[in-house]
Amino acid sequence: MSSSIQTIENVSSVYLENTRNVHIYLPPSYHDGSKHYPVLYMQDGQNIFHTAFNGQSWRMHQIADELIKQGEMEEIIIVGIENHPTERSNEYNFYFQGDPEVDVPFSTTPFSAKGIQYETFLIREIKPLIDQTYRTKNNTECTALMGSSMGGAVSYHIGFRNPDVFSMVGIMSPYFYYHHKELKQDISLVNKFSEKVPLKKIWMDIGAEEGPLIEVPQVEDMAAHLLELGYEHEKEFLFQIDHSGKHTEDDWAKRVHAPLLYFFGTEKGNAVLIDLLEKEEEVGC
């Protein structure tokens, strides 16, 4: 038995008025039975299995294969939704002009806010397509969402806005602030939710060497806020600082096994995750 990757080309969206490809990882046993599988939806799908413009990839299929082979993770389906080449920054953004929580007007950024449309596309078009085409466990308990950079920020917003659809959210190297060079000021791109929502597990991380666009204190602040909302450390929420982490697909590939184990780990995988986290100096807040 071996895993496979399928591609649904030119998936059209009524809500976004554009098309994109969607890549689907099917686990080793998929074609040998009638079993149904949990699903992880991921942003920037052209980079998670395939080589990106910089020659790097998340290598999600290889990492999942290895974790499954070692008995550390249950078999899952992974759905990589390609970003739109000219609309990514807009579709992954949720802020609106005039939001009272923004210190500097959102209109001073180069982005428009199409996050609502993208959220609707994901929930009303992509998820039904996947559930109808593949043998998924389509209930909330078995459905996760993950992304990095702006993909991490949009995963955060969609996950917290829709805990009835997604029970697990992976937020890697999130792009929470836009640095305005002329104003010499950071403009918040993140909504801080004021109440705890019923998410089962939240993973958040940041690399210490990511550069000026993604700063550790900004992400630490959000991690502290989630703890203040009442998410229980380790059981419901894990935060990790990768002290050598940069803002690249290679770096996300090096640590993505941790959120995979957190979300979908077997008993053996949970032991591996605990051992991994105990070796880190900074996990949690």
Side-chain angles (χ1 to χ4, degrees):
M1 296 187 296
S2 61
S3 64
S4 63
I5 297 173
Q6 298 185 355
T7 298
I8 305 176
E9 297 183 345
N10 300 317
V11 176
S12 178
S13 172
V14 172
Y15 302 99
L16 295 172
E17 299 182 336
N18 56 34
T19 63
R20 71 199 67 207
N21 297 333
V22 179
H23 308 283
I24 302 96
Y25 164 90
L26 300 175
S29 72
Y30 186 86
H31 296 292
D32 297 301
S34 58
K35 180 181 176 181
H36 288 66
Y37 301 85
V39 184
L40 169 63
Y41 291 89
M42 294 188 66
Q43 321 302 340
D44 295 311
Q46 65 267 44
N47 301 339
I48 65 171
F49 307 123
H50 307 97
T51 302
F53 68 92
N54 60 2
Q56 299 179 11
S57 167
W58 287 60
R59 300 181 287 103
M60 287 296 295
H61 55 308
Q62 297 173 356
I63 294 167
D65 280 350
E66 184 62 25
L67 292 176
I68 292 168
K69 180 181 177 181
Q70 298 297 329
E72 297 172 4
M73 186 181 84
E74 64 178 307
E75 290 187 301
I76 66 170
I77 292 172
I78 303 174
V79 179
I81 307 161
E82 287 194 3
N83 64 51
H84 190 277
T86 61
E87 290 291 328
R88 177 180 184 268
S89 296
N90 299 323
E91 292 179 357
Y92 285 3
N93 211 297
F94 264 82
Y95 254 114
F96 296 88
Q97 181 177 347
D99 192 305
E101 294 185 8
V102 183
D103 295 328
V104 182
F106 176 80
S107 57
T108 60
T109 74
F111 315 129
S112 60
K114 296 184 179 180
I116 294 292
Q117 294 96 314
Y118 181 79
E119 173 187 284
T120 308
F121 158 67
L122 175 57
I123 293 173
R124 295 189 182 178
E125 294 179 318
I126 291 296
K127 189 175 186 300
L129 172 64
I130 297 302
D131 288 338
Q132 292 164 13
T133 307
Y134 300 98
R135 297 194 311 274
T136 66
K137 290 183 178 179
N138 60 6
N139 59 311
T140 305
E141 184 76 9
C142 298
T143 307
L145 185 65
M146 184 158 65
S148 64
S149 194
M150 278 192 163
V154 77
S155 295
Y156 159 80
H157 283 110
I158 293 175
F160 275 75
R161 285 168 48 85
N162 299 276
D164 57 327
V165 180
F166 306 98
S167 66
M168 298 167 282
V169 183
I171 307 160
M172 300 182 71
S173 304
Y175 187 69
F176 281 158
Y177 289 83
Y178 168 72
H179 183 72
H180 199 298
K181 293 182 180 179
E182 287 75 21
L183 295 176
K184 297 181 180 179
Q185 191 167 352
D186 289 338
I187 302 173
S188 176
L189 302 176
V190 62
N191 293 283
K192 281 189 174 181
F193 296 93
S194 59
E195 296 181 357
K196 181 181 179 181
V197 299
L199 289 168
K200 181 172 68 174
K201 290 183 178 179
I202 305 162
W203 174 276
M204 183 180 291
D205 67 26
I206 182 70
E209 304 296 330
E210 302 218 23
L213 297 181
I214 311 288
E215 297 184 357
V216 172
Q218 295 170 345
V219 182
E220 284 183 316
D221 177 67
M222 178 57 72
H225 176 67
L226 296 183
L227 290 173
E228 290 172 1
L229 290 183
Y231 290 100
E232 187 177 343
H233 174 55
E234 293 189 359
K235 182 179 179 181
E236 298 175 304
F237 174 59
L238 275 176
F239 174 61
Q240 182 180 40
I241 297 176
D242 180 351
H243 296 286
S244 61
K246 298 180 176 60
H247 203 71
T248 71
E249 284 77 11
D250 273 353
D251 287 272
W252 298 320
K254 290 175 183 176
R255 65 179 190 260
V256 74
H257 60 290
L260 285 175
L261 292 174
Y262 187 46
F263 295 161
F264 303 108
T266 62
E267 184 175 346
K268 180 179 178 181
N270 291 334
V272 171
L273 179 62
I274 291 171
D275 182 60
L276 173 71
L277 296 178
E278 285 179 347
K279 293 177 181 178
E280 293 290 339
E281 292 182 3
E282 296 194 46
V283 178
C285 299

